[in-house]
Amino acid sequence: MKQFLKVAAVAALGLISAGGASAQSALNEILDSGVMKVGTTGDWNPMSLRDPATNSYKGFDIDIMTELAKDLGVEVEFVPTDWKTLVNGVVAGQYHLTGSASISPARMKVAGFSESYISVEMYPFTTEDKADRFDGYDSINNPDVTVATTLGTVFEKNVREWFPQATIKVVEAPARGFQEVLAGRADVFITSNIEGATLTSKFPVVRVTNAEARSPTAIAMLLPQADQVWINYVNNWVKVKQTTGFFEGIKEKWGL
């Protein structure tokens, strides 16, 4: 399988080489340099987590990117980024692709996406000691409620749309909205079912009662918008790995 995917990459470049376009593809650069650069935030548990002591990464995304690099026959280099500059980094060529990111119309204007391999949905959370204050979304949308969120995330956009009457507190990465709630500086945060499951197992936080899931969102890798050769390769890689059960195995490993 690994050899097949590497041969497929070389073949794809051979097809476009006749047209003089190979130098335009990140795929060509990756194969020539032997390094695939991946932008990742390291703050989305259990997708991407950075250990400050060792500067190493682990998580669902990390396993996926490591496998992609392995099939290409290259090394993987994780490039630190944050949510507000995640898209800019791939547009500016600071990395060849990113880890998991929500597919949104705003991002699609300037960047490409791979095939989706997982989806999430959003919920509001609060601490156990404040759980009785809230019952559904309307109970959050009040000026005396402080909702914390992280700048540049899809969560920030959702918070502003769902709770226009609430007091919104925006923090910048590496700070996170849930940390503000745990510290008592805010009352509510929203996050995905994926991260939420991890947080509720580690901290005294709970979903807000009678707050149904919102904004089901497909997740995929961000790629340079104009680089169709690289996009095609990654898309076909995703399809091949889906047929082998690779993604399901990684989901099971990380409890997704």
Side-chain angles (χ1 to χ4, degrees):
M1 180 65 67
K2 174 184 175 182
Q3 186 61 29
F4 170 78
L5 288 166
K6 187 173 182 181
V7 169
V10 174
L13 286 171
L15 288 173
I16 63 168
S17 181
S22 61
Q24 301 301 315
S25 179
L27 182 57
N28 185 49
E29 181 180 326
I30 291 166
L31 294 177
D32 285 348
S33 67
V35 178
M36 183 182 75
K37 296 181 179 180
V38 179
T40 190
T41 63
D43 67 351
W44 187 12
N45 191 5
M47 308 299 278
S48 172
L49 285 171
R50 185 177 75 89
D51 182 348
T54 62
N55 200 34
S56 61
Y57 293 84
K58 65 179 181 179
F60 176 87
D61 279 352
I62 307 308
D63 287 352
I64 289 174
M65 296 304 168
T66 300
E67 183 76 1
L68 175 56
K70 176 183 173 183
D71 285 339
L72 280 165
V74 301
E75 299 295 318
V76 61
E77 177 185 337
F78 293 106
V79 181
T81 185
D82 57 40
W83 293 107
K84 69 178 183 294
T85 60
L86 183 70
V87 176
N88 292 341
V90 77
V91 171
Q94 295 173 6
Y95 29 82
H96 301 114
L97 73 168
T98 74
S100 297
S102 301
I103 300 175
S104 70
R107 287 172 172 170
M108 287 189 297
K109 291 178 182 178
V110 294
F113 279 95
S114 72
E115 294 277 345
S116 177
Y117 42 83
I118 194 170
S119 61
V120 299
E121 50 193 15
M122 312 305 178
Y123 292 91
F125 291 78
T126 187
T127 49
E128 292 176 352
D129 62 312
K130 295 180 179 178
D132 291 344
R133 287 182 55 190
F134 303 108
D135 185 10
Y137 285 90
D138 288 344
S139 66
I140 302 170
N141 191 30
N142 291 293
D144 61 344
V145 177
T146 299
V147 182
T149 189
T150 305
L151 181 67
T153 61
V154 171
F155 306 138
E156 181 193 1
K157 177 178 178 292
N158 290 341
V159 162
R160 295 188 184 281
E161 289 180 355
W162 298 349
F163 311 120
Q165 302 303 317
T167 301
I168 298 173
K169 183 175 185 179
V170 180
V171 296
E172 290 198 45
R176 295 291 306 279
F178 77 85
Q179 293 171 332
E180 295 298 298
V181 174
L182 287 172
R185 294 186 291 267
D187 305 305
V188 173
F189 67 94
I190 67 167
T191 192
S192 67
N193 57 313
I194 290 176
E195 183 176 52
T198 300
L199 293 176
T200 54
S201 68
K202 291 185 175 182
F203 303 107
V205 298
V206 293
R207 285 186 189 175
V208 170
T209 302
N210 294 322
E212 74 283 357
R214 285 187 175 180
S215 293
T217 304
I219 299 294
M221 309 169 203
L222 279 163
L223 301 130
Q225 188 181 60
D227 195 345
Q228 195 60 54
V229 171
W230 180 220
I231 292 172
N232 287 345
Y233 178 83
V234 174
N235 281 345
N236 285 313
W237 180 85
V238 169
K239 291 176 182 177
V240 168
K241 289 298 182 179
Q242 286 173 329
T243 63
T244 67
F246 168 73
F247 288 102
E248 292 305 312
I250 301 300
K251 288 177 187 176
E252 183 176 352
K253 173 183 175 180
W254 293 100
L256 303 179

